């Protein structure tokens, strides 16, 4: 039986409590990981535990809009946060 070549995704964890002071550094790390990713690999973006700050959410959203989905994945917390932003609140 031939071996399947599976490449584990590189995971970039965005701190849920991302501050203005660390936002540029986190963005640079994320862009560098996505730019360096092998075409056959994926980079997974995940939020750390906790309630994400608006900056953390903004970084997740901008990443999904800036990079092709074939090289980008979202971890469960990042995906849930994105879904909650897309779901209108009921009054």
């Amino acid at each position: 039986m031939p071996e399947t070549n599976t490449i584990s995704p590189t995971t970039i964890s965005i701190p849920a409590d991302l501050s203005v002071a660390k936002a540029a550094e986190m963005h640079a790390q994320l862009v560098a990981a996505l730019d360096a990713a092998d075409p056959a690999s994926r980079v997974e973006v995940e939020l750390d535990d906790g309630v994400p700050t608006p900056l953390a959410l903004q970084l997740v959203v901008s990443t999904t809009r800036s990079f092709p989905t074939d090289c980008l994945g979202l971890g469960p917390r990042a995906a849930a946060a994105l879904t909650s932003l897309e779901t209108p609140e009921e009054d």
Side-chain angles (χ1 to χ4, degrees), residues 2-87:
E3 289 184 35
T4 56
N5 186 11
T6 57
I7 299 173
S8 298
T10 299
T11 301
I12 301 293
S13 293
I14 298 173
D17 62 349
L18 185 65
S19 66
V20 172
K22 295 287 185 178
E25 179 184 335
M26 186 74 247
H27 177 262
Q29 289 176 7
L30 187 57
V31 169
L34 286 161
D35 285 345
D38 182 285
S41 66
R42 289 176 59 86
V43 174
E44 185 172 277
V45 176
E46 181 59 294
L47 286 168
D48 287 343
D49 285 330
V51 177
T53 63
L55 276 173
L57 293 172
Q58 184 178 10
L59 190 53
V60 171
V61 170
S62 66
T63 302
T64 62
R65 293 183 178 171
S66 301
F67 292 93
T69 56
D70 59 336
C71 70
L72 179 67
L74 294 177
R77 288 184 296 276
L82 193 58
T83 299
S84 72
L85 290 174
E86 295 171 346
T87 306

